[in-house]
mmCIF file of all heavy atoms in Angstrom:
data_model
loop_
_atom_site.group_PDB
_atom_site.id
_atom_site.type_symbol
_atom_site.label_atom_id
_atom_site.label_comp_id
_atom_site.label_asym_id
_atom_site.label_seq_id
_atom_site.Cartn_x
_atom_site.Cartn_y
_atom_site.Cartn_z
ATOM 1 N N TYR A 171 20.164 18.097 16.392
ATOM 2 C CA TYR A 171 20.793 19.263 15.764
ATOM 3 C C TYR A 171 22.159 19.536 16.413
ATOM 4 O O TYR A 171 22.382 19.204 17.591
ATOM 5 C CB TYR A 171 19.895 20.501 15.906
ATOM 6 C CG TYR A 171 19.643 20.923 17.332
ATOM 7 C CD1 TYR A 171 20.448 21.877 17.973
ATOM 8 C CD2 TYR A 171 18.608 20.367 18.069
ATOM 9 C CE1 TYR A 171 20.229 22.254 19.293
ATOM 10 C CE2 TYR A 171 18.376 20.732 19.390
ATOM 11 C CZ TYR A 171 19.194 21.677 19.986
ATOM 12 O OH TYR A 171 18.973 22.041 21.301
ATOM 13 N N PRO A 172 23.101 20.118 15.679
ATOM 14 C CA PRO A 172 24.399 20.470 16.254
ATOM 15 C C PRO A 172 24.261 21.722 17.133
ATOM 16 O O PRO A 172 23.590 22.682 16.752
ATOM 17 C CB PRO A 172 25.262 20.743 15.023
ATOM 18 C CG PRO A 172 24.289 21.192 13.981
ATOM 19 C CD PRO A 172 23.022 20.422 14.239
ATOM 20 N N MET A 173 24.890 21.700 18.305
ATOM 21 C CA MET A 173 24.810 22.857 19.208
ATOM 22 C C MET A 173 25.997 23.782 18.962
ATOM 23 O O MET A 173 27.105 23.347 18.630
ATOM 24 C CB MET A 173 24.792 22.390 20.665
ATOM 25 C CG MET A 173 23.536 21.635 21.035
ATOM 26 S SD MET A 173 23.436 21.247 22.810
ATOM 27 C CE MET A 173 24.758 20.035 22.981
ATOM 28 N N ASN A 174 25.737 25.044 19.144
ATOM 29 C CA ASN A 174 26.776 26.048 18.951
ATOM 30 C C ASN A 174 27.685 26.100 20.182
ATOM 31 O O ASN A 174 27.241 26.466 21.271
ATOM 32 C CB ASN A 174 26.127 27.418 18.703
ATOM 33 C CG ASN A 174 27.150 28.526 18.602
ATOM 34 O OD1 ASN A 174 28.265 28.304 18.131
ATOM 35 N ND2 ASN A 174 26.767 29.720 19.041
ATOM 36 N N ASP A 175 28.927 25.725 20.011
ATOM 37 C CA ASP A 175 29.880 25.799 21.114
ATOM 38 C C ASP A 175 31.068 26.701 20.763
ATOM 39 O O ASP A 175 32.157 26.570 21.305
ATOM 40 C CB ASP A 175 30.392 24.408 21.501
ATOM 41 C CG ASP A 175 31.011 23.664 20.306
ATOM 42 O OD1 ASP A 175 31.130 24.271 19.221
ATOM 43 O OD2 ASP A 175 31.364 22.480 20.466
ATOM 44 N N SER A 176 30.845 27.610 19.831
ATOM 45 C CA SER A 176 31.913 28.482 19.350
ATOM 46 C C SER A 176 32.131 29.701 20.241
ATOM 47 O O SER A 176 33.149 30.383 20.140
ATOM 48 C CB SER A 176 31.598 28.948 17.926
ATOM 49 O OG SER A 176 30.442 29.771 17.919
ATOM 50 N N GLY A 177 31.172 29.971 21.123
ATOM 51 C CA GLY A 177 31.247 31.179 21.950
ATOM 52 C C GLY A 177 30.552 32.364 21.309
ATOM 53 O O GLY A 177 30.294 33.373 21.972
ATOM 54 N N GLY A 178 30.237 32.270 20.031
ATOM 55 C CA GLY A 178 29.511 33.337 19.344
ATOM 56 C C GLY A 178 28.003 33.156 19.494
ATOM 57 O O GLY A 178 27.523 32.202 20.124
ATOM 58 N N SER A 179 27.280 34.070 18.885
ATOM 59 C CA SER A 179 25.818 34.030 19.017
ATOM 60 C C SER A 179 25.200 32.892 18.211
ATOM 61 O O SER A 179 24.146 32.368 18.564
ATOM 62 C CB SER A 179 25.225 35.362 18.574
ATOM 63 O OG SER A 179 25.566 35.633 17.215
ATOM 64 N N GLY A 180 25.854 32.494 17.153
ATOM 65 C CA GLY A 180 25.337 31.405 16.340
ATOM 66 C C GLY A 180 24.066 31.780 15.581
ATOM 67 O O GLY A 180 23.722 32.950 15.425
ATOM 68 N N VAL A 181 23.363 30.752 15.133
ATOM 69 C CA VAL A 181 22.107 30.937 14.390
ATOM 70 C C VAL A 181 20.954 30.593 15.323
ATOM 71 O O VAL A 181 20.842 29.460 15.800
ATOM 72 C CB VAL A 181 22.066 30.039 13.140
ATOM 73 C CG1 VAL A 181 20.730 30.186 12.419
ATOM 74 C CG2 VAL A 181 23.230 30.357 12.202
ATOM 75 N N SER A 182 20.091 31.555 15.572
ATOM 76 C CA SER A 182 18.963 31.325 16.478
ATOM 77 C C SER A 182 17.807 30.662 15.730
ATOM 78 O O SER A 182 17.614 30.860 14.528
ATOM 79 C CB SER A 182 18.490 32.644 17.090
ATOM 80 O OG SER A 182 18.043 33.532 16.070
ATOM 81 N N VAL A 183 17.070 29.841 16.468
ATOM 82 C CA VAL A 183 15.905 29.148 15.899
ATOM 83 C C VAL A 183 14.652 29.647 16.616
ATOM 84 O O VAL A 183 14.624 29.725 17.855
ATOM 85 C CB VAL A 183 16.029 27.627 16.065
ATOM 86 C CG1 VAL A 183 14.855 26.918 15.403
ATOM 87 C CG2 VAL A 183 17.350 27.118 15.483
ATOM 88 N N SER A 184 13.622 29.979 15.854
ATOM 89 C CA SER A 184 12.392 30.505 16.466
ATOM 90 C C SER A 184 11.255 29.480 16.482
ATOM 91 O O SER A 184 10.429 29.496 17.401
ATOM 92 C CB SER A 184 11.928 31.764 15.719
ATOM 93 O OG SER A 184 11.689 31.469 14.343
ATOM 94 N N ALA A 185 11.219 28.606 15.514
ATOM 95 C CA ALA A 185 10.079 27.684 15.439
ATOM 96 C C ALA A 185 10.423 26.461 14.588
ATOM 97 O O ALA A 185 11.383 26.451 13.816
ATOM 98 C CB ALA A 185 8.858 28.391 14.859
ATOM 99 N N LEU A 186 9.612 25.438 14.794
ATOM 100 C CA LEU A 186 9.647 24.240 13.957
ATOM 101 C C LEU A 186 8.373 24.207 13.118
ATOM 102 O O LEU A 186 7.265 24.404 13.645
ATOM 103 C CB LEU A 186 9.702 22.968 14.816
ATOM 104 C CG LEU A 186 10.962 22.697 15.637
ATOM 105 C CD1 LEU A 186 10.708 21.518 16.580
ATOM 106 C CD2 LEU A 186 12.132 22.402 14.735
ATOM 107 N N LEU A 187 8.505 23.949 11.861
ATOM 108 C CA LEU A 187 7.349 23.780 10.981
ATOM 109 C C LEU A 187 7.222 22.281 10.715
ATOM 110 O O LEU A 187 8.063 21.696 10.031
ATOM 111 C CB LEU A 187 7.550 24.561 9.684
ATOM 112 C CG LEU A 187 6.308 24.782 8.815
ATOM 113 C CD1 LEU A 187 5.286 25.639 9.571
ATOM 114 C CD2 LEU A 187 6.682 25.451 7.497
ATOM 115 N N VAL A 188 6.185 21.668 11.272
ATOM 116 C CA VAL A 188 6.049 20.213 11.249
ATOM 117 C C VAL A 188 4.901 19.801 10.321
ATOM 118 O O VAL A 188 3.788 20.334 10.421
ATOM 119 C CB VAL A 188 5.790 19.658 12.665
ATOM 120 C CG1 VAL A 188 5.701 18.139 12.642
ATOM 121 C CG2 VAL A 188 6.896 20.112 13.622
ATOM 122 N N THR A 189 5.182 18.850 9.449
ATOM 123 C CA THR A 189 4.171 18.321 8.535
ATOM 124 C C THR A 189 4.030 16.818 8.760
ATOM 125 O O THR A 189 4.979 16.069 8.542
ATOM 126 C CB THR A 189 4.557 18.569 7.062
ATOM 127 O OG1 THR A 189 4.891 19.942 6.871
ATOM 128 C CG2 THR A 189 3.411 18.185 6.136
ATOM 129 N N PRO A 190 2.879 16.338 9.230
ATOM 130 C CA PRO A 190 2.678 14.897 9.442
ATOM 131 C C PRO A 190 2.887 14.103 8.154
ATOM 132 O O PRO A 190 2.742 14.653 7.051
ATOM 133 C CB PRO A 190 1.223 14.800 9.926
ATOM 134 C CG PRO A 190 0.939 16.144 10.506
ATOM 135 C CD PRO A 190 1.691 17.112 9.653
ATOM 136 N N PRO A 191 3.238 12.828 8.272
ATOM 137 C CA PRO A 191 3.445 11.994 7.079
ATOM 138 C C PRO A 191 2.237 11.984 6.151
ATOM 139 O O PRO A 191 1.095 11.906 6.619
ATOM 140 C CB PRO A 191 3.681 10.591 7.668
ATOM 141 C CG PRO A 191 4.197 10.852 9.041
ATOM 142 C CD PRO A 191 3.493 12.069 9.518
ATOM 143 N N ASN A 192 2.496 12.086 4.853
ATOM 144 C CA ASN A 192 1.454 12.035 3.816
ATOM 145 C C ASN A 192 0.442 13.169 3.926
ATOM 146 O O ASN A 192 -0.678 13.057 3.420
ATOM 147 C CB ASN A 192 0.728 10.679 3.841
ATOM 148 C CG ASN A 192 1.659 9.515 3.593
ATOM 149 O OD1 ASN A 192 2.510 9.571 2.704
ATOM 150 N ND2 ASN A 192 1.530 8.462 4.385
ATOM 151 N N GLU A 193 0.830 14.245 4.598
ATOM 152 C CA GLU A 193 -0.021 15.424 4.686
ATOM 153 C C GLU A 193 0.663 16.605 3.997
ATOM 154 O O GLU A 193 1.883 16.602 3.786
ATOM 155 C CB GLU A 193 -0.292 15.778 6.160
ATOM 156 C CG GLU A 193 -1.580 15.159 6.707
ATOM 157 C CD GLU A 193 -2.797 15.906 6.221
ATOM 158 O OE1 GLU A 193 -3.062 15.902 4.999
ATOM 159 O OE2 GLU A 193 -3.494 16.500 7.050
ATOM 160 N N THR A 194 -0.117 17.617 3.656
ATOM 161 C CA THR A 194 0.436 18.816 3.033
ATOM 162 C C THR A 194 0.298 20.032 3.944
ATOM 163 O O THR A 194 0.961 21.037 3.723
ATOM 164 C CB THR A 194 -0.263 19.104 1.697
ATOM 165 O OG1 THR A 194 -1.686 19.209 1.911
ATOM 166 C CG2 THR A 194 -0.005 17.980 0.700
ATOM 167 N N LYS A 195 -0.562 19.925 4.957
ATOM 168 C CA LYS A 195 -0.762 21.036 5.881
ATOM 169 C C LYS A 195 0.231 20.941 7.031
ATOM 170 O O LYS A 195 0.354 19.902 7.682
ATOM 171 C CB LYS A 195 -2.199 21.012 6.417
ATOM 172 C CG LYS A 195 -2.533 22.208 7.296
ATOM 173 C CD LYS A 195 -4.008 22.186 7.713
ATOM 174 C CE LYS A 195 -4.350 23.409 8.542
ATOM 175 N NZ LYS A 195 -5.784 23.412 8.935
ATOM 176 N N SER A 196 0.940 22.025 7.288
ATOM 177 C CA SER A 196 1.961 22.055 8.332
ATOM 178 C C SER A 196 1.448 22.763 9.579
ATOM 179 O O SER A 196 0.439 23.479 9.555
ATOM 180 C CB SER A 196 3.222 22.765 7.815
ATOM 181 O OG SER A 196 3.737 22.117 6.670
ATOM 182 N N PHE A 197 2.175 22.547 10.682
ATOM 183 C CA PHE A 197 1.813 23.171 11.960
ATOM 184 C C PHE A 197 3.093 23.743 12.566
ATOM 185 O O PHE A 197 4.114 23.069 12.641
ATOM 186 C CB PHE A 197 1.204 22.125 12.901
ATOM 187 C CG PHE A 197 0.647 22.705 14.172
ATOM 188 C CD1 PHE A 197 -0.651 23.190 14.210
ATOM 189 C CD2 PHE A 197 1.415 22.759 15.331
ATOM 190 C CE1 PHE A 197 -1.170 23.723 15.387
ATOM 191 C CE2 PHE A 197 0.899 23.287 16.500
ATOM 192 C CZ PHE A 197 -0.392 23.768 16.530
ATOM 193 N N SER A 198 3.017 24.979 13.002
ATOM 194 C CA SER A 198 4.193 25.646 13.561
ATOM 195 C C SER A 198 4.192 25.549 15.085
ATOM 196 O O SER A 198 3.187 25.835 15.733
ATOM 197 C CB SER A 198 4.210 27.126 13.135
ATOM 198 O OG SER A 198 5.345 27.777 13.658
ATOM 199 N N VAL A 199 5.320 25.090 15.647
ATOM 200 C CA VAL A 199 5.471 25.021 17.102
ATOM 201 C C VAL A 199 6.723 25.804 17.503
ATOM 202 O O VAL A 199 7.702 25.883 16.759
ATOM 203 C CB VAL A 199 5.589 23.561 17.602
ATOM 204 C CG1 VAL A 199 4.309 22.804 17.333
ATOM 205 C CG2 VAL A 199 6.759 22.847 16.939
ATOM 206 N N GLU A 200 6.661 26.376 18.665
ATOM 207 C CA GLU A 200 7.781 27.192 19.142
ATOM 208 C C GLU A 200 9.009 26.323 19.405
ATOM 209 O O GLU A 200 8.902 25.201 19.907
ATOM 210 C CB GLU A 200 7.360 27.921 20.423
ATOM 211 C CG GLU A 200 8.396 28.896 20.947
ATOM 212 C CD GLU A 200 7.914 29.632 22.196
ATOM 213 O OE1 GLU A 200 6.728 29.477 22.546
ATOM 214 O OE2 GLU A 200 8.739 30.348 22.817
ATOM 215 N N TRP A 201 10.170 26.849 19.073
ATOM 216 C CA TRP A 201 11.430 26.156 19.352
ATOM 217 C C TRP A 201 11.608 26.077 20.865
ATOM 218 O O TRP A 201 11.622 27.097 21.554
ATOM 219 C CB TRP A 201 12.583 26.923 18.708
ATOM 220 C CG TRP A 201 13.961 26.381 18.947
ATOM 221 C CD1 TRP A 201 14.917 26.943 19.734
ATOM 222 C CD2 TRP A 201 14.546 25.208 18.380
ATOM 223 N NE1 TRP A 201 16.068 26.210 19.702
ATOM 224 C CE2 TRP A 201 15.866 25.116 18.876
ATOM 225 C CE3 TRP A 201 14.093 24.219 17.522
ATOM 226 C CZ2 TRP A 201 16.742 24.089 18.530
ATOM 227 C CZ3 TRP A 201 14.950 23.205 17.168
ATOM 228 C CH2 TRP A 201 16.250 23.138 17.675
ATOM 229 N N PRO A 202 11.733 24.881 21.438
ATOM 230 C CA PRO A 202 11.695 24.744 22.893
ATOM 231 C C PRO A 202 13.054 24.881 23.585
ATOM 232 O O PRO A 202 13.125 24.810 24.814
ATOM 233 C CB PRO A 202 11.166 23.322 23.074
ATOM 234 C CG PRO A 202 11.719 22.576 21.899
ATOM 235 C CD PRO A 202 11.734 23.554 20.776
ATOM 236 N N SER A 203 14.103 25.075 22.821
ATOM 237 C CA SER A 203 15.447 25.091 23.407
ATOM 238 C C SER A 203 16.068 26.481 23.332
ATOM 239 O O SER A 203 15.743 27.280 22.445
ATOM 240 C CB SER A 203 16.346 24.086 22.686
ATOM 241 O OG SER A 203 17.672 24.181 23.123
ATOM 242 N N SER A 204 16.963 26.743 24.262
ATOM 243 C CA SER A 204 17.697 28.004 24.248
ATOM 244 C C SER A 204 18.968 27.888 23.408
ATOM 245 O O SER A 204 19.666 28.877 23.163
ATOM 246 C CB SER A 204 18.075 28.422 25.675
ATOM 247 O OG SER A 204 18.891 27.425 26.282
ATOM 248 N N ASN A 205 19.273 26.682 22.971
ATOM 249 C CA ASN A 205 20.483 26.467 22.179
ATOM 250 C C ASN A 205 20.367 27.089 20.796
ATOM 251 O O ASN A 205 19.274 27.173 20.226
ATOM 252 C CB ASN A 205 20.767 24.973 22.021
ATOM 253 C CG ASN A 205 21.108 24.304 23.343
ATOM 254 O OD1 ASN A 205 21.770 24.896 24.192
ATOM 255 N ND2 ASN A 205 20.665 23.065 23.515
ATOM 256 N N THR A 206 21.487 27.498 20.274
ATOM 257 C CA THR A 206 21.541 28.015 18.914
ATOM 258 C C THR A 206 22.360 27.052 18.051
ATOM 259 O O THR A 206 23.088 26.193 18.558
ATOM 260 C CB THR A 206 22.186 29.408 18.869
ATOM 261 O OG1 THR A 206 23.532 29.330 19.385
ATOM 262 C CG2 THR A 206 21.384 30.412 19.684
ATOM 263 N N LEU A 207 22.224 27.201 16.750
ATOM 264 C CA LEU A 207 22.983 26.382 15.813
ATOM 265 C C LEU A 207 24.299 27.075 15.470
ATOM 266 O O LEU A 207 24.372 28.308 15.434
ATOM 267 C CB LEU A 207 22.183 26.162 14.531
ATOM 268 C CG LEU A 207 20.773 25.589 14.665
ATOM 269 C CD1 LEU A 207 20.137 25.439 13.278
ATOM 270 C CD2 LEU A 207 20.782 24.249 15.382
ATOM 271 N N PRO A 208 25.330 26.318 15.236
ATOM 272 C CA PRO A 208 26.592 26.949 14.845
ATOM 273 C C PRO A 208 26.516 27.537 13.447
ATOM 274 O O PRO A 208 25.793 27.030 12.583
ATOM 275 C CB PRO A 208 27.589 25.790 14.902
ATOM 276 C CG PRO A 208 26.762 24.573 14.654
ATOM 277 C CD PRO A 208 25.434 24.851 15.292
ATOM 278 N N VAL A 209 27.254 28.611 13.249
ATOM 279 C CA VAL A 209 27.379 29.154 11.899
ATOM 280 C C VAL A 209 28.307 28.224 11.138
ATOM 281 O O VAL A 209 29.420 27.936 11.576
ATOM 282 C CB VAL A 209 27.966 30.577 11.933
ATOM 283 C CG1 VAL A 209 28.157 31.108 10.508
ATOM 284 C CG2 VAL A 209 27.073 31.509 12.736
ATOM 285 N N THR A 210 27.863 27.705 10.016
ATOM 286 C CA THR A 210 28.634 26.698 9.300
ATOM 287 C C THR A 210 28.601 26.955 7.814
ATOM 288 O O THR A 210 27.680 27.605 7.292
ATOM 289 C CB THR A 210 28.094 25.278 9.582
ATOM 290 O OG1 THR A 210 28.821 24.333 8.810
ATOM 291 C CG2 THR A 210 26.617 25.175 9.234
ATOM 292 N N ASP A 211 29.615 26.450 7.139
ATOM 293 C CA ASP A 211 29.667 26.557 5.678
ATOM 294 C C ASP A 211 29.010 25.372 5.003
ATOM 295 O O ASP A 211 29.095 25.190 3.794
ATOM 296 C CB ASP A 211 31.117 26.686 5.219
ATOM 297 C CG ASP A 211 31.969 25.487 5.650
ATOM 298 O OD1 ASP A 211 31.414 24.562 6.280
ATOM 299 O OD2 ASP A 211 33.180 25.495 5.376
ATOM 300 N N GLY A 212 28.355 24.536 5.832
ATOM 301 C CA GLY A 212 27.673 23.365 5.281
ATOM 302 C C GLY A 212 28.451 22.087 5.457
ATOM 303 O O GLY A 212 27.956 21.010 5.143
ATOM 304 N N SER A 213 29.687 22.177 5.985
ATOM 305 C CA SER A 213 30.510 20.984 6.147
ATOM 306 C C SER A 213 30.266 20.283 7.476
ATOM 307 O O SER A 213 30.710 19.163 7.681
ATOM 308 C CB SER A 213 31.999 21.351 6.036
ATOM 309 O OG SER A 213 32.352 22.300 7.041
ATOM 310 N N GLY A 214 29.583 20.963 8.400
ATOM 311 C CA GLY A 214 29.324 20.381 9.711
ATOM 312 C C GLY A 214 28.143 19.430 9.692
ATOM 313 O O GLY A 214 27.551 19.151 8.640
ATOM 314 N N SER A 215 27.788 18.908 10.875
ATOM 315 C CA SER A 215 26.648 17.997 10.972
ATOM 316 C C SER A 215 25.356 18.748 10.718
ATOM 317 O O SER A 215 25.246 19.944 10.990
ATOM 318 C CB SER A 215 26.615 17.329 12.352
ATOM 319 O OG SER A 215 26.512 18.308 13.374
ATOM 320 N N SER A 216 24.370 18.037 10.197
ATOM 321 C CA SER A 216 23.116 18.668 9.817
ATOM 322 C C SER A 216 22.031 18.379 10.837
ATOM 323 O O SER A 216 22.193 17.555 11.740
ATOM 324 C CB SER A 216 22.676 18.159 8.442
ATOM 325 O OG SER A 216 22.540 16.748 8.463
#
Side-chain angles (χ1 to χ4, degrees):
Y171 62 93
M173 293 186 291
N174 176 32
D175 56 5
S176 66
S179 60
V181 177
S182 61
V183 183
S184 59
L186 293 171
L187 195 64
V188 182
T189 309
N192 300 316
E193 267 283 65
T194 56
K195 185 176 182 179
S196 301
F197 187 86
S198 180
V199 295
E200 185 178 352
W201 177 251
S203 173
S204 60
N205 294 323
T206 60
L207 306 180
V209 177
T210 177
D211 59 1
S213 60
S215 59
S216 58

